[in-house]
Amino acid sequence: MSSIKIELRQEDIEKIREICGSFGKDPQELINVLHKCQEHFGYLPAEVQEVVSNELDVPVAKIYGVVTFYSFFTMTPKGRHPISICMGTACYVRGAEKVLDEFKKELGLQVGQTSKDGKFSLSSLRCVGACGLAPVVLVGDKTYGRVAPDDVRNILKEYE
Amino acid sequence: METIKLTIDNRAVEVPRGTTINKAARLLGIEIPVLCYMELKDMNIENKPAGCRICVVEVDGRRNLAPSCATNCEEGMVVRTHTTRVLNARRTVMEFILSDHPKDCLICAKSGTCELQSMAHKLGIREIPGQEIAAMSTYRLDTSPSIIRDLDKCIMCRRCEMMCNEIQTVGALSAVNRGFMSAVAPAFEQNLEHSTCTYCGQCVAVCPTGALTEVDHTPDVLRALADPSKTVIVQTAPAVRAALGEEFGMEPGTLVTGKMVSALRSLGFDYVFDTDFAADLTIMEEGTELLDRLNRHLSGDKTARLPILTSCCPGWVNFFEYYFPDLKDVPSTAKSPQQMFGAIANTYFADKIGVNRKDLVVVSIMPCLAKKYECQRGEFSTDNNPDVDFSISTRELAAFIKQANIDLNNLEDDDFDSPLGESTGAGVIFGTTGGVIEAAVRTAYELQTGKKLERLDFNELRGLEGVREATIDFDGLPIRIGIAHGLGNARKLLDDVRSGKSQFHAIEVMACPGGCIGGGGQPLHHGNSEIIKARVAAIYAEDKKKPLRKSHENPFIIKLYEEFLGSPNSEKAHHLLHTHYFERKKKIVVKH
Ligand code: SF4
Ligand code: SF4
Ligand code: SF4
Ligand code: FES
């Protein structure tokens, strides 16, 4: 019957408190608070949700409910080289899905997953506004345009 | 009040503004089926997610069918509740729900009382198109000390979420995920055991399907009864006798005390005792504690904390351990009647009949699921031998009686055994909200003033209002009393205690709306609050019938103190009948 413990680094706790504070600790601002937390940490691990729950006085089950309902929230850390494939209309009609399938096959990952060694993670995006270059793939900050399934292997090679 | 005229199935009806189509139809005797919707009238409990769409109706001039449970009547509306379009839509909704639902009704714990099953029957569903193609979503089975969650059977009505969040303000459950994988679950889809669940069982009490059920301990009880080396004794909580009959087709509010005793005897229990006896004992201990704190407080002792909070409800104890651990010295230290009974049975009574506690099996019949957890708490056992071995619910007892081919309806009345079966009316009213404090007042008044109480019915303490308060005149000394049932209501009073605003001397809290008569282990009310009210009336009727109605007048309690305990709050009484509480709040720890 011990109490439940949540472990987190001091600076992380303070960062979450700061974010919650900047929204006046208002439970109505939960989604915005989570956005900011995800921006900072890259993802929303259970510990972060627990601290947000404490700060905003919202049950952690509710927070987890929100995190799992919206696809833009994730509980898995991004890889060192996060790969995002644009699924906007232009990219889609020019074969983005085939490109995505190729990445899935090469990496053995599903969308939303991170490779075991933490190197790559895979996600899809709504239109990034580079439709002229469709289909578009982002790896970290770098943009690749007019990507065909055959290019996938070469792109990955750059990060070996 | 502004009223609205409309017609439903060509019949005119006039209703106050704000009435839903569904309720208006009910006034005409038209029962539009509902599934996710649930209301406990007069108890401020309503689930209205407008999610399932089983209740749709056609409204002239509207393109889409309207969910009747969530659409308000409007002037001149023309509503049709059984057109071909409506019936087809209802069937489609049902087929859709069933396509992702297991078909093992035959062996489901809710079979016979499941609202989904009866809806499928009512709508005459005979086949489920598309079920061969659709892969059914499956979830991990979660078993906690009190509750089993089998979310394969969840239909996302969200009644449990409403109970846990809005009524109980526990927030252990929330809707998670989306699409077919959506479910109601604790944070991170962990087991209930790792959440802040209080085991009040209110989610189980409202779940229409077999998704939420109690952990069944009847096989353990059966095994103990079959073991000749064991002496098996049973205690029955007050609320059970006011509800058990419902499971055998009797009118809600039928008291079956005598028949229940007969049934338990036929099942083979060696002694049939009454938790009401332990409730009387609780009053002696809790009442004495109250007077002690009160008198110390009146004489200026700053260490005497008031108000005192009742501690007989384990759901409530779990709640304050999680949410108000800073106030853990405010509640009475008295154990619950279930555990007081267990402690006395394993000492005083075991000695009396010369049985070693290892060979004594104590079973409790409870309206409650939190009691299953409570009797497993480490502090309630000696050398790994629990004071109460198994706790089964009213529903489990009913099933057990049926399995044993016992026809409750045709049993003769029988009496509880002595001495742990003797009780007063004060013990009986523990079963309803306000009852514990009324019982305490009856005893505390006489002990404090030395005068005889003229009036035993304290109507000012009764009722179903969520938070109630009353001042009782203790011969010139006004005693202020607060009552809350439902944990959300309790939270309001607790917040005041925490901030120092509370003016009460004593507060009674019951976790379940209505008190134990509305407990998580009772026959299902299916959203009919009249059932709960009838049980309350039955409890007060039983109290009225009792020759003795004050705990301190129970001759067997007096004898227990003379022969064994000494006096209330004596060292021995403290050792056996009192407990301590734990801090269970989540702690955020800095990682280095
Ligand atoms: S038992 Fe009570 S506290 Fe636990 S999940 Fe159910 S409603 Fe919530
Ligand atoms: S668990 Fe039961 S009460 Fe809760 S949403 Fe599912 S079916 Fe409804
Ligand atoms: S009110 Fe009664 S049934 Fe409900 S949790 Fe408390 S003791 Fe159990
Ligand atoms: S009962 Fe009306 S939408 Fe479910």
Side-chain angles (χ1 to χ4, degrees), chain B residues 97-106 128 131 136 153:
Chain B
I97 297 173
L98 293 180
S99 72
D100 193 33
H101 196 88
K103 314 292 179 295
D104 61 354
C105 281
L106 280 176
I128 303 157
Q131 64 162 322
M136 220 140 54
K153 294 180 178 164

Side-chain angles (χ1 to χ4, degrees), chain B residues 11-65:
Chain B
R11 290 163 65 195
V13 62
E14 191 169 344
V15 293
R17 180 174 285 286
T19 307
T20 62
I21 295 177
N22 203 289
K23 282 187 185 162
R26 257 155 232 264
L27 293 177
L28 292 170
I30 301 169
E31 291 256 340
I32 305 171
V34 291
L35 194 52
C36 66
Y37 182 81
M38 187 203 77
E39 185 193 22
L40 279 175
K41 230 171 130 226
D42 306 328
M43 292 178 79
N44 276 324
I45 299 177
E46 191 177 32
N47 187 51
K48 199 183 196 174
C52 74
R53 308 257 146 183
I54 220 69
C55 66
V56 287
V57 292
E58 213 170 322
V59 179
D60 275 16
R62 290 201 189 183
R63 205 144 47 92
N64 295 327
L65 297 178

Side-chain angles (χ1 to χ4, degrees), chain A residues 4 6 8 10 64 69, chain B residues 178 189 586-587 589-591:
Chain A
I4 304 158
I6 301 130
L8 217 57
Q10 185 64 39
Y64 176 76
F69 186 81
Chain B
R178 50 196 303 164
E189 286 159 80
K586 278 191 192 174
K587 283 206 189 78
V589 184
V590 176
K591 188 158 84 184

Side-chain angles (χ1 to χ4, degrees), chain B residues 273-285:
Chain B
F273 289 141
D274 200 353
T275 315
D276 293 14
F277 171 86
D280 280 337
L281 188 57
T282 304
I283 288 303
M284 298 306 290
E285 292 297 322

Side-chain angles (χ1 to χ4, degrees), chain A residues 1-11 13 17 44-47 49-55 57 59-71 75, chain B residues 158 161 165 170-178 185-190 194-196 321-322 373 377-379 491 582-592:
Chain A
M1 215 173 318
S2 62
S3 54
I4 304 158
K5 271 197 209 155
I6 301 130
E7 284 193 66
L8 217 57
R9 294 192 325 224
Q10 185 64 39
E11 64 220 72
I13 298 174
R17 291 208 173 122
L44 293 170
E47 291 78 9
Q49 297 181 40
E50 295 275 11
V51 179
V52 171
S53 154
N54 256 24
E55 292 297 302
D57 201 15
V60 65
K62 253 296 93 95
I63 296 182
Y64 176 76
V66 169
V67 169
T68 52
F69 186 81
Y70 293 105
S71 53
M75 284 184 66
Chain B
R158 304 176 76 162
E161 186 190 18
N165 288 273
V170 171
L173 297 175
S174 172
V176 303
N177 300 330
R178 50 196 303 164
F188 317 122
E189 286 159 80
Q190 279 176 335
H194 300 298
S195 73
T196 52
E321 285 183 331
Y322 279 122
Y373 164 78
R377 285 177 80 130
E379 65 270 28
R491 184 187 281 276
F582 297 86
E583 173 161 354
R584 295 206 275 166
K585 199 180 163 72
K586 278 191 192 174
K587 283 206 189 78
I588 296 183
V589 184
V590 176
K591 188 158 84 184
H592 294 286

Side-chain angles (χ1 to χ4, degrees), chain A residues 36-53:
Chain A
K36 281 272 180 258
C37 288
Q38 181 156 307
E39 234 165 65
H40 179 80
F41 295 100
Y43 68 119
L44 293 170
E47 291 78 9
V48 170
Q49 297 181 40
E50 295 275 11
V51 179
V52 171
S53 154

